[in-house]
Amino acid sequence: MKALIAGGGIGGLTAALCFEKAGWEVALLERAPELSAVGAGIQVSPNAMKVFRAIDVDQAVIDCGFIPEAIEIRMGLSGQTLIRTPLGQTAKARWHAPYVHVHRADLASVLAQAVRARCPGAIALGAPVASYEEDGAGVAAVLADGSKVKGDLLVGADGIHSAVRAQLLGPDKPVFTGNVAWRSVVPVERLGGHVPDPVAAAWMGEGKHAVTYLLRGGTLANLVAVVERDDWVSESWTEQGTREDALRDFAGWHPSITTILEQSDALFQWALFDRPPLRTWVSQRVALLGDAAHPMLPFMAQGAAMAIEDAFALSELAARGKDDLAAALHAYQALRRPRASAVQAGSRANAKTFHQRTSLGKLTTYGPMWLAGRLAPGVGLKRQDGIYAYDVVKAARAA
Ligand code: FAD
């Protein structure tokens, strides 16, 4: 059996390794001339690390990453911590896998190296999938130059502007969520006394929030700083912004944030888009995964984690159900759609929590959080159980 995978992002590369592990031949078709990842960090939560363990790349991810001690919710101006959820050994013991921060380029490189070692020649670069043809006998990915690559299953892991999704469901556009993210990675030696603590810190503010954490063994500081804006007119997702604009957005904020902005060589702005849950992710021989199926706001740090979970579930169910692929793909959708849709909705809801604008909103949101942090510190762990304790490896094998 042969899986064609459109897209070599985190979802597509993980899918290649999952299908290889399941005994399939793999062809990964990536539009870009090289596999590259933006200079930014990514949080890989225990639910995603369980997949990486199943495909034997978990240790390589840990080795190039950073294990945070906790998640902290803080006030952006004062720096006051509202609630602290321990990670480190606690995450491993409670959710059966570590929580890791990784540079995206390092993660992409670990995954791509594993694909190249295990499936030599499987990655085709400069290979944009324009459309597909499917029938009872198989599926062909049609590239932009008209050439065809044939297989048994086509995986649409081609991101938020997915060509595979457009053919499956017709054209539409993702929705601008009104949020724009500043992103930066800075060597910690530039930050003097303002190196971020070894935690994933989410800093709350009026109509904005920021997230800071460490990467690469603690040598790099990562910042994602999200502001609400209704004036985004550019078609482009990413634009270089100025340090002055970024500092204006976060004027008066804690120096842990402003120092990173001051010390950044380049500051990029990412417009954040999502899309309501799709009515279907699959056809007879085509399945979507990751952002192609369920783009979401990054307010739960789960977009890539959901793509990674999808990849395992799809490979497991397709391998087991290869004699009736259409049924297997519907089983994949039935397993994954409710979970990914819930995380999409949760990410939207977090936007309200993180960006409270009114005094009443702040009091009724951050007050109970602060109180819970003091009276019932385990509450943060319980809140994360539904996401981090989930084991897609077990769930897909049991489905
Ligand atoms: P993509 O990464 O978009 O990859 C799609 C690939 O397909 C690309 O390589 C593209 O070149 C290729 N492609 C596109 N069209 C074609 C075509 N027609 N043919 C062939 N190839 C094609 N998630 C987390 O889990 N944790 C986090 O901490 C986190 N932080 C985030 C912070 C921000 C600011 C943002 C914006 C997102 C964050 N996310 C996070 C979400 C995460 O980045 C995405 O959900 C994830 O990268 C999606 O992976 P993907 O493989 O589905 O799609």
Side-chain angles (χ1 to χ4, degrees):
M1 298 292 281
K2 182 171 180 181
L4 312 176
I5 299 168
I10 293 166
L13 289 166
T14 305
L17 293 170
C18 290
F19 274 98
E20 187 275 338
K21 182 99 182 175
W24 285 44
E25 193 187 334
V26 168
L28 187 147
L29 308 164
E30 165 58 46
R31 172 180 65 183
E34 56 186 288
L35 290 176
S36 60
V38 286
I42 187 157
Q43 308 192 54
V44 185
S45 50
N47 47 313
M49 286 301 289
K50 285 170 204 162
V51 173
F52 286 163
R53 184 166 58 213
I55 53 172
D56 311 309
V57 292
D58 56 329
Q59 195 54 50
V61 173
I62 293 167
D63 289 347
C64 65
F66 181 84
I67 304 229
E69 291 172 7
I71 297 174
E72 290 189 1
I73 307 289
R74 299 177 177 179
M75 296 310 296
L77 294 173
S78 66
Q80 184 187 19
T81 299
L82 299 176
I83 192 162
R84 177 181 165 94
T85 303
L87 293 175
Q89 284 305 320
T90 307
K92 238 172 134 176
R94 189 177 180 105
W95 300 309
H96 309 298
Y99 195 107
V100 190
H101 294 157
V102 201
H103 196 292
R104 279 171 188 260
D106 296 344
L107 178 58
S109 155
V110 164
L111 296 174
Q113 271 179 32
V115 175
R116 288 190 169 116
R118 297 175 199 177
C119 332
I123 300 180
L125 300 174
V129 175
S131 63
Y132 61 83
E133 294 165 0
E134 63 174 330
D135 60 26
V139 62
V142 183
L143 304 189
D145 64 5
S147 60
K148 294 180 186 173
V149 184
K150 292 188 177 159
D152 297 287
L153 167 66
L154 171 64
V155 180
D158 48 347
I160 191 168
H161 297 294
S162 168
V164 178
R165 190 211 58 77
Q167 180 168 344
L168 187 67
L169 292 166
D172 81 349
K173 279 195 166 173
V175 185
F176 176 52
T177 59
N179 291 272
V180 175
W182 291 99
R183 311 196 73 179
S184 180
V185 174
V186 175
V188 293
E189 63 263 19
R190 291 195 199 162
L191 301 175
H194 298 298
V195 175
D197 292 331
V199 301
W203 310 72
M204 314 284 110
E206 284 183 17
K208 60 190 76 171
H209 81 282
V211 179
T212 51
Y213 54 86
L214 297 171
L215 302 171
R216 260 187 215 158
T219 58
L220 297 175
N222 181 74
L223 172 73
V224 182
V226 177
V227 287
E228 289 174 16
R229 278 188 36 192
D230 51 16
D231 60 341
W232 190 267
V233 287
S234 168
E235 277 291 306
S236 159
W237 269 48
T238 53
E239 292 214 334
Q240 189 145 9
T242 66
R243 185 176 294 125
E244 291 67 35
D245 284 347
L247 284 167
R248 196 173 310 117
D249 278 344
F250 288 88
W253 275 52
H254 194 271
S256 291
I257 292 139
T258 52
T259 311
I260 297 179
L261 294 175
E262 280 158 9
Q263 295 301 322
S264 297
D265 290 329
L267 277 159
F268 285 90
Q269 294 176 290
W270 285 35
L272 301 181
F273 291 80
D274 68 6
R275 175 185 268 125
L278 301 177
R279 64 178 191 280
T280 182
W281 297 7
V282 301
S283 69
Q284 303 295 301
R285 289 182 176 271
V286 177
L288 303 175
L289 68 69
D291 278 7
H294 45 66
M296 59 184 74
L297 278 168
F299 292 10
M300 289 174 77
Q302 282 297 310
M306 289 301 114
I308 292 162
E309 287 186 4
D310 290 345
F312 186 87
L314 180 57
S315 67
E316 170 69 22
L317 290 163
R320 242 180 30 225
K322 61 182 186 307
D323 296 332
D324 186 353
L325 261 186
L329 298 190
H330 280 92
Y332 158 71
Q333 174 176 291
L335 179 66
R336 296 300 306 153
R337 196 172 172 275
R339 178 163 166 85
S341 302
V343 175
Q344 270 183 303
S347 301
R348 277 254 176 182
N350 268 2
K352 287 206 179 83
T353 306
F354 287 11
H355 292 189
Q356 287 294 340
R357 285 179 179 276
T358 64
S359 304
L360 184 64
K362 284 182 207 162
L363 192 70
T364 54
T365 304
Y366 304 138
M369 232 185 238
W370 178 86
L371 208 58
R374 265 110 209 117
L375 299 180
V379 76
L381 289 166
K382 280 207 193 88
R383 279 191 57 190
Q384 306 294 358
D385 280 346
I387 301 293
Y388 301 160
Y390 186 79
D391 187 341
V392 72
V393 176
K394 283 192 186 146
R397 286 181 180 153

